[in-house]
Amino acid sequence: MITKRHALKLAVALLTSAAASAYAADTGPIKIGLILPMTGQSASTGRQIDAAVKLWMAQNGNKVAGRTVEVILKDDGAVPDATKRIAQEMIVNDKVAVIAGFGITPTALATAPLATQSKTPLVVMAAATSSITQASPYIVRTSFTLPQVTVAIADWAAKNKIKKAVTLVADYGPGFDAEKFFDSQFRLDGGQVLDKLRTPLRAPDFAPVLQKVIDVKPDALFVFLPSGQGAAFMKQFAERGLDKSGIRLIATGDVTDDDQLAEMGDVAIGVVNSHHYSAAHPSATNKKFVAAFEAANKFRPNFMAVGGYDGMRVIYKALEATKGAGGEALLNAMKGQVFESPRGPVLIDAQTRDIVQDVYIRKVERVPAMNNGLYNVEFDVIKAVKDPGKQK
Ligand code: VNL
């Protein structure tokens, strides 16, 4: 009797301990590797996305499918070799389920092969060159693409008495996209691009290109510069008297960035631009988002913050669907998600893994109802825009 009871007890104990260890493997933290430029020239992008990720977690908790979510934040200084090394460590040592962030295009492109080799979903929250999502089948994007937001401003310009333009872009991936898609749409609409100017990504000096613009004297100057460069550009634009030259400034919303608009001052007023997010977007979802973000951070969210916030949404919902499993299952659960973002309605296109979203035409104005601050005020919208960079 005693032996039998003893054996039974032992068997139960063994089973329990086996189950417990399996359970432990399934209940350890789910790790998200967040790689952002927290220092250097693109640090504002890192600061915005980090704040948005923290806001998402404060609002939605740190538990998904019964497991704790742990975000590991690392600074890559926007240096591609650093991004790649950090991603490798996160995948191999920390065993992260997802890598996310990616402030500028070269950092996303450098890391793409690692995502493919390790079957780790890579969520691009910032970088915006069209081709990024084609660099790995494991890449999903929650930011935007330059072709997606550029076509609208080219079209607006041609339909608003602008016949001759000069383009000015940062000399790398997203700049090439902006230059190309501005030119093709503007020409299609009967406009003419008189000159195509570029400034280096690192430490640009706008004086020589602005002198060129003065010499060529187009109806308008179209500008794309990455987030963080807009205020310096605006300062030189005004210093050289271009704001009073009759040459109209038009841009993508990267230039009239919510992060820097206040710093730009009156020179920005009247600049018409196109983009997917404005802190002044008048939806209830956005008002709630902006209020919570500002209360937590004492600064205004920009389009980078929204890319980070929506990236967390996509990751959380996918983890819920897979009950915490990673790899291809997690990737598949990210595809096809449809939701209301602070920017408006969005879809993660299951075929391209890129985001489909509304693009707005906006004008910089002082808004008395919003503390008399400078905002990109939306006055037109193109619904559900797919990345034209992937259409033939
Ligand atoms: C990129 C595109 C970066 C748009 C940006 O800001 C931006 C990029 C840092 O793809 O590198 O506004």
Side-chain angles (χ1 to χ4, degrees), residues 182-241:
F182 184 89
D183 181 59
S184 58
Q185 185 62 41
F186 195 55
R187 267 195 291 128
L188 193 70
D189 291 341
Q192 193 189 350
V193 173
L194 300 178
D195 208 347
K196 296 177 181 175
L197 308 172
R198 295 177 179 181
T199 45
L201 170 60
R202 315 253 172 218
D205 174 10
F206 302 111
V209 287
L210 288 175
Q211 189 52 52
K212 258 268 129 131
V213 176
I214 292 168
D215 295 343
V216 174
K217 227 180 175 337
D219 300 329
L221 170 64
F222 163 75
V223 182
F224 160 76
L225 294 168
S227 184
Q229 295 190 3
F233 170 78
M234 285 292 188
K235 191 160 172 277
Q236 291 199 30
F237 188 81
E239 275 170 10
R240 316 213 129 234

Side-chain angles (χ1 to χ4, degrees), residues 19-190:
S21 64
Y23 192 62
D26 282 352
T27 52
I30 301 171
K31 294 177 184 167
I32 299 172
L34 184 62
I35 314 176
L36 293 171
M38 302 305 294
T39 54
Q41 188 177 270
S42 303
S44 66
T45 292
R47 172 173 48 82
Q48 286 276 351
I49 295 178
D50 177 37
V53 167
K54 292 196 167 98
L55 177 64
W56 173 271
M57 293 189 72
Q59 292 175 332
N60 295 276
N62 68 341
K63 284 240 155 41
V64 176
R67 292 171 61 186
T68 304
V69 175
E70 190 188 309
V71 173
I72 305 171
L73 170 66
K74 288 268 162 74
D75 173 20
D76 67 358
V79 177
D81 284 345
T83 321
K84 200 175 160 183
R85 178 179 45 75
I86 293 166
Q88 175 102 32
E89 282 165 14
M90 286 174 161
I91 293 166
V92 175
N93 301 338
D94 300 317
K95 306 206 167 14
V96 296
V98 190
I99 44 177
F102 305 94
I104 63 169
T105 289
T107 67
L109 291 178
T111 312
L114 289 180
T116 309
Q117 286 154 23
S118 65
K119 300 188 190 304
T120 307
L122 185 166
V123 177
V124 176
M125 295 169 158
T129 300
S130 174
S131 65
I132 288 174
T133 40
Q134 288 161 317
S136 166
Y138 278 83
I139 294 181
V140 170
R141 175 157 39 201
T142 59
S143 52
F144 69 108
T145 80
L146 263 302
Q148 185 177 46
V149 298
T150 299
V151 168
I153 188 66
D155 202 38
W156 180 88
K159 289 173 178 156
N160 286 274
K161 303 197 171 83
I162 295 169
K163 299 277 171 251
K164 292 176 172 22
V166 167
T167 60
L168 166 58
V169 302
D171 194 6
Y172 77 122
F176 304 154
D177 276 356
E179 183 186 88
K180 179 173 162 204
F181 281 81
F182 184 89
D183 181 59
S184 58
Q185 185 62 41
F186 195 55
R187 267 195 291 128
L188 193 70
D189 291 341

